[in-house]
Amino acid sequence: MDQILISFFIFCSFTSYLNAQQGYSGNSILACNKNDETGPSPDFLYTCNGEEPSCKAFLIFKSQPPYNSVPTISNLTSSDPSELASINNVSRLMVFPTNKEVIVPVNCSCSGQYYQANTSYVIQTRNETYFTIANNTYQGLATCDSLKHQDPYDPLSLLPGLTLRVPLRCACPTSNQSAKGTKYLLTYLVSWQDSIPNISERFNVRRESMLDANSFSEEDPVLFPFTTVLIPLMTKPSSSQTIIHYPRVTSPPYTYNPGTRRSKKGFYVGIGIAAVCSLVICTVLSIVFLRYKKRTEEFPQSYGEEKKKQVLPECVLIDIASADQVMKVFDFEELKAATDNFSPKSRIKGSVHHGVFSGEILAIKKMSADVSKEVNILNKINHINLIRLYGACEDHGHFFLVYEFMENGSLKDWLRKKSCPEIEIEIWTQRVQIALDVANGLHYLHNFTDPSYVHKDIKSSNILLNGNLRAKIANFSLARSAEGVDRYASTKQFLGTRGYMAPEYLESGSITPKIDVYAFGVVMLELLTGKDAIIVQDGGELLLSAAIVSIMEGGNTEAELSYFIDPSLQGKYGMELALCITKLSVACLTREPESRPKMGEVVSTLSRILMDLQKSDSLSVELG
Ligand SMILES: *[C@@H]1O[C@H](CO)[C@@H](O)[C@H](O)[C@H]1NC(C)=O
Ligand SMILES: *[C@@H]1O[C@H](CO)[C@@H](O)[C@H](O)[C@H]1NC(C)=O
Ligand SMILES: *[C@@H]1O[C@H](CO)[C@@H](O)[C@H](O)[C@H]1NC(C)=O
Ligand SMILES: *[C@@H]1O[C@H](CO)[C@@H](O)[C@H](O)[C@H]1NC(C)=O
Ligand SMILES: *[C@@H]1O[C@H](CO)[C@@H](O)[C@H](O)[C@H]1NC(C)=O
Ligand SMILES: *[C@@H]1O[C@H](CO)[C@@H](O)[C@H](O)[C@H]1NC(C)=O
Ligand SMILES: *[C@@H]1O[C@H](CO)[C@@H](O)[C@H](O)[C@H]1NC(C)=O
Ligand SMILES: *[C@@H]1O[C@H](CO)[C@@H](O)[C@H](O)[C@H]1NC(C)=O
């Protein structure tokens, strides 16, 4: 009875949502610790605002091995296999080609404030997290947050064999939609290259009703891959509307004549970038700041409850041993053989070597200190932008950690070498992509547990680049959960790197994700200027961050900034984009931690900039 009253109350207090259509979650769906206490949020699931409390709904799932057949997809989504087969016009044992869109019929019903189609999932491997289950396995049809909400398990103790309850994103038509003839809502998974005009044409719906259904205000809004939009349908979807999505083509080789191409390119890119700056940065940043001004302290100074203590070093090996498949315990002899007895030729830098393990090159780092923290964290997190730990080895009290090998070394060294492509937009794309990769990694790290994990030592030498220049965050030896104040603070022995440490950390040792945001601001400035975080000038030292902040506060911004920016980024349209990135960096460097943006907001801003760069690029390729 009480529960009914409570949910009735909740329902009533959000009557404004009753008439509104659903909102679009955008990139914020990637966050893992949005609770829904502030009211229904599209980041969580779609709100119960329909005419009916339950209805038939449809989802689009992209066939991905092992979920690429009628039996496996219907099992994954708890959908009726014969219905799934018939709506896709295939036999009950059909295996779909990879990346084929598959229509999944589900029963959608209101539970509390949200619509959901219930299914369950049995965890298969040690490396799965709420995030990978929501984003990778369910492709964004589930959210990390709603999984955490419905399942009682600690994010750090998900083990193979556990059964999770998985709410899938679905919704029922609102009365306005029904009045206009909408019978079903299809939850559509956004892919690279999708746009509202494309989708509405393919499913034969009016563009306005698509925009309406997702509360978009722009005509052709930016859509993010691995998020969902709702398609209002008058009839059941048909297999003739589904397509195979081919993987995105990454940076096409530039084989044409750059001379004639460049001028045109500059023109279109100029337009694109000007649009990005005025629309995205100014609106996004001003929204961010207005919101932050209103907000009070975001991170509690201390978390009252007892904390799980870090596992002691003796437990590390046990932990590694039980983490089958994911982490391997290497034999010291194996490491010696792989590195030719740690020969100088195999040395990458300092105590890091590379070695060949059955054909695969891996990096080996010798650690003198306690490796338990790093092992424990890397064992649990799994993200494309965080370095992957393959295993570890112990020999006479020395520990060796074995990681994936990153061909292009650290960002710091790479920026020094400056092996840039010739075309300016390529350089920009490269740099923005690196920033976005790091931002994505931090965003995940900050959100996959509660309280957040903080890296604490973000700097260009802890960011590694692989062969495709995709960035991953490495060196988690200082990482820890945000628990208020660093115990080293009283002794003033700070653990971190000069030039990157946030003022509040230096003053009081306070540890929140915002100290990573601060350090990330410095890394973005390094990407922009190609300079070190500490510049040695005329025998004195100057902090890069301080220099740029004072330039932005001064009156002669553009001229002074152009003196700092990497010359290879200073084309015709470089300054406009440079100002954007600088503003974003300076926002991250704000003195008051609560005024700094969250990584999620940084990710959104950088994704939009990158998408616009890529759009301008392909546009000019077509026209050029
Ligand atoms: C729903 O319809 C009513 C009446 O036509 C209208 O006032 C309201 O604005 C509509 N709501 C939305 C979200 O379109
Ligand atoms: C999927 O298959 C497994 C094994 O056959 C079974 O245990 C599980 O209950 C099935 N899940 C659903 C949702 O049907
Ligand atoms: C969905 O609901 C219908 C009607 O209530 C029911 O017959 C069907 O078995 C349900 N399907 C699933 C997969 O639960
Ligand atoms: C279903 O498939 C058959 C043969 O593969 C084809 O002739 C028919 O047009 C398809 N129906 C729809 C609705 O796509
Ligand atoms: C779906 O799961 C939720 C939470 O486990 C539950 O409250 C709800 O009743 C379920 N819905 C259906 C239709 O089984
Ligand atoms: C998890 O590990 C398995 C092998 O144990 C691997 O096949 C799979 O790709 C990994 N998943 C992710 C998301 O990395
Ligand atoms: C989300 O999953 C997709 C595959 O479905 C993967 O390509 C992408 O990298 C994942 N996103 C993140 C942030 O890991
Ligand atoms: C959507 O349209 C754009 C051009 O407007 C095209 O480049 C893209 O390939 C289309 N995407 C799909 C999935 O058809």
Side-chain angles (χ1 to χ4, degrees):
M1 186 62 199
D2 272 2
Q3 219 148 22
I4 296 172
L5 278 178
I6 290 168
S7 49
F8 181 73
F9 173 74
I10 292 172
F11 207 66
C12 285
S13 55
F14 292 105
T15 43
S16 58
Y17 282 85
L18 284 175
N19 284 326
Q21 318 285 316
Q22 305 289 351
Y24 177 56
S25 60
N27 245 4
S28 51
I29 206 165
L30 299 176
C32 275
N33 67 356
K34 292 242 172 75
N35 52 45
D36 64 332
E37 280 153 20
T38 52
S41 153
D43 303 350
F44 196 78
L45 290 169
Y46 289 117
T47 314
C48 278
N49 61 4
E51 208 173 20
E52 304 289 340
S54 68
C55 62
K56 170 114 275 169
F58 298 93
L59 318 174
I60 289 287
F61 181 82
K62 268 173 279 181
S63 153
Q64 278 296 335
Y67 306 106
N68 60 347
S69 65
V70 173
T72 53
I73 294 172
S74 58
N75 180 290
L76 186 70
T77 56
S78 298
S79 178
D80 179 46
S82 39
E83 205 184 339
L84 193 148
S86 81
I87 196 156
N88 288 287
N89 196 17
V90 293
S91 74
R92 278 196 58 170
L93 294 175
M94 173 73 178
V95 173
F96 296 100
T98 298
N99 285 320
K100 167 87 167 82
E101 288 179 350
V102 177
I103 302 167
V104 178
V106 292
N107 288 342
C108 184
S109 61
C110 188
S111 169
Q113 303 183 62
Y114 297 104
Y115 278 119
Q116 59 186 55
N118 287 347
T119 181
S120 59
Y121 176 74
V122 180
I123 297 182
Q124 318 277 322
T125 64
R126 275 287 290 239
N127 58 1
E128 284 173 277
T129 62
Y130 284 127
F131 178 81
T132 61
I133 293 167
N135 173 73
N136 302 54
T137 309
Y138 284 94
Q139 305 177 2
L141 288 174
T143 64
C144 176
D145 232 6
S146 58
L147 283 177
K148 269 169 72 178
H149 217 252
Q150 291 218 337
D151 292 289
Y153 313 110
D154 182 292
L156 287 177
S157 52
L158 295 181
L159 294 173
L162 280 181
T163 304
L164 299 185
R165 288 183 297 191
V166 179
L168 300 176
R169 295 171 73 85
C170 62
C172 300
T174 61
S175 41
N176 277 15
Q177 284 172 328
S178 301
K180 289 180 184 149
T182 296
K183 288 224 173 57
Y184 308 101
L185 291 175
L186 171 73
T187 309
Y188 179 80
L189 275 178
V190 175
S191 293
W192 299 101
Q193 314 271 315
D194 276 337
S195 64
I196 292 290
N198 285 23
I199 302 171
S200 42
E201 189 179 336
R202 187 143 65 84
F203 287 90
N204 192 22
V205 289
R206 283 178 38 248
R207 200 185 293 186
E208 299 77 57
S209 45
M210 274 286 305
L211 295 173
D212 226 25
N214 299 283
S215 306
F216 285 124
S217 51
E218 294 163 70
E219 273 280 290
D220 187 4
V222 178
L223 300 181
F224 297 93
F226 322 117
T227 62
T228 67
V229 291
L230 289 173
I231 307 181
L233 296 174
M234 302 217 190
T235 56
K236 289 187 177 178
S238 131
S239 61
S240 60
Q241 292 165 327
T242 60
I243 58 171
I244 298 179
H245 287 269
Y246 293 99
R248 187 168 60 128
V249 188
T250 45
S251 15
Y254 286 88
T255 49
Y256 18 74
N257 181 352
T260 53
R261 228 181 125 246
R262 230 183 228 183
S263 52
K264 279 186 181 164
K265 206 171 182 53
F267 177 65
Y268 292 108
V269 166
I271 295 174
I273 287 167
V276 167
C277 270
S278 47
L279 279 171
V280 177
I281 295 295
C282 302
T283 51
V284 169
L285 286 185
S286 56
I287 290 167
V288 167
F289 294 134
L290 282 177
R291 206 137 50 83
Y292 272 89
K293 282 218 179 90
K294 284 191 202 143
R295 225 177 258 179
T296 47
E297 182 67 288
E298 207 185 332
F299 298 97
Q301 281 307 304
S302 68
Y303 294 84
E305 304 89 20
E306 76 288 5
K307 286 268 92 59
K308 265 200 241 80
K309 289 277 154 277
Q310 292 294 345
V311 179
L312 299 166
E314 303 88 74
C315 309
V316 173
L317 288 177
I318 300 166
D319 208 47
I320 294 172
S322 62
D324 53 310
Q325 292 191 2
V326 182
M327 280 244 237
K328 181 172 177 234
V329 180
F330 288 90
D331 223 26
F332 188 57
E333 293 306 315
E334 253 180 293
L335 300 193
K336 283 208 300 198
T339 56
D340 201 6
N341 205 6
F342 293 93
S343 72
K345 253 179 84 184
S346 76
R347 187 190 301 275
I348 301 173
K349 206 178 182 189
S351 57
V352 187
H353 287 73
H354 59 75
V356 184
F357 296 84
S358 42
E360 192 175 3
I361 303 179
L362 299 177
I364 301 146
K365 185 175 174 189
K366 185 176 175 185
M367 314 276 284
S368 44
D370 173 7
V371 295
S372 58
K373 275 190 194 165
E374 186 150 1
V375 167
N376 274 314
I377 294 173
L378 286 174
N379 197 8
K380 291 298 177 194
I381 57 182
N382 187 316
H383 190 277
I384 191 156
N385 300 119
L386 304 178
I387 198 85
R388 168 144 181 235
L389 181 63
Y390 279 79
C393 166
E394 193 260 356
D395 179 64
H396 295 98
H398 292 294
F399 283 97
F400 298 84
L401 296 183
V402 181
Y403 302 93
E404 65 184 309
F405 176 63
M406 301 289 280
E407 288 91 329
N408 276 303
S410 79
L411 174 63
K412 185 175 179 137
D413 293 341
W414 181 78
L415 280 173
R416 282 206 185 129
K417 279 186 248 146
K418 294 226 182 79
S419 53
C420 286
E422 280 197 3
I423 299 163
E424 194 189 348
I425 191 165
E426 277 277 285
I427 309 174
W428 272 113
T429 307
Q430 230 171 41
R431 304 271 172 109
V432 175
Q433 179 72 66
I434 291 172
L436 178 59
D437 283 342
V438 179
N440 259 319
L442 278 178
H443 180 44
Y444 175 77
L445 189 68
H446 290 171
N447 289 295
F448 90 113
T449 55
D450 189 15
S452 303
Y453 256 95
V454 180
H455 183 281
K456 269 193 80 197
D457 201 11
I458 291 297
K459 53 179 170 179
S460 52
S461 54
N462 280 341
I463 291 161
L464 304 181
L465 302 173
N466 72 10
N468 299 321
L469 292 178
R470 298 304 297 265
K472 297 183 192 233
I473 300 171
N475 195 353
F476 286 75
S477 55
L478 297 185
R480 49 173 286 179
S481 59
E483 283 176 275
V485 173
D486 198 320
R487 66 196 152 95
Y488 295 98
S490 53
T491 61
K492 295 282 172 199
Q493 288 179 325
F494 294 104
L495 296 177
T497 306
R498 224 158 65 78
Y500 297 91
M501 280 188 280
E504 76 277 11
Y505 179 68
L506 285 171
E507 278 155 21
S508 64
S510 113
I511 296 176
T512 69
K514 292 295 172 79
I515 68 176
D516 286 347
V517 174
Y518 185 93
F520 176 77
V522 180
V523 171
M524 260 198 300
L525 292 180
E526 291 181 79
L527 278 164
L528 186 71
T529 60
K531 296 192 193 319
D532 284 345
I534 296 177
I535 307 166
V536 181
Q537 211 174 30
D538 310 327
E541 280 186 352
L542 179 65
L543 292 187
L544 178 61
S545 54
I548 302 285
V549 168
S550 76
I551 288 177
M552 293 303 280
E553 283 166 356
N556 197 9
T557 309
E558 288 201 14
E560 287 184 41
L561 199 57
S562 69
Y563 170 75
F564 270 93
I565 293 169
D566 194 325
S568 46
L569 294 171
Q570 297 204 16
K572 270 187 184 161
Y573 44 86
M575 183 47 72
E576 196 93 36
L577 189 47
L579 271 173
C580 284
I581 306 273
T582 313
K583 280 183 193 160
L584 185 60
S585 311
V586 168
C588 295
L589 296 170
T590 311
R591 219 191 131 71
E592 299 72 36
E594 59 278 10
S595 310
R596 288 172 211 149
K598 282 190 187 175
M599 278 332 284
E601 285 155 322
V602 175
V603 167
S604 294
T605 310
L606 288 172
S607 317
R608 278 163 174 257
I609 293 175
L610 185 64
M611 272 190 196
D612 240 70
L613 274 168
Q614 286 168 343
K615 259 189 203 167
S616 322
D617 195 23
S618 57
L619 183 66
S620 61
V621 170
E622 267 164 38
L623 295 165

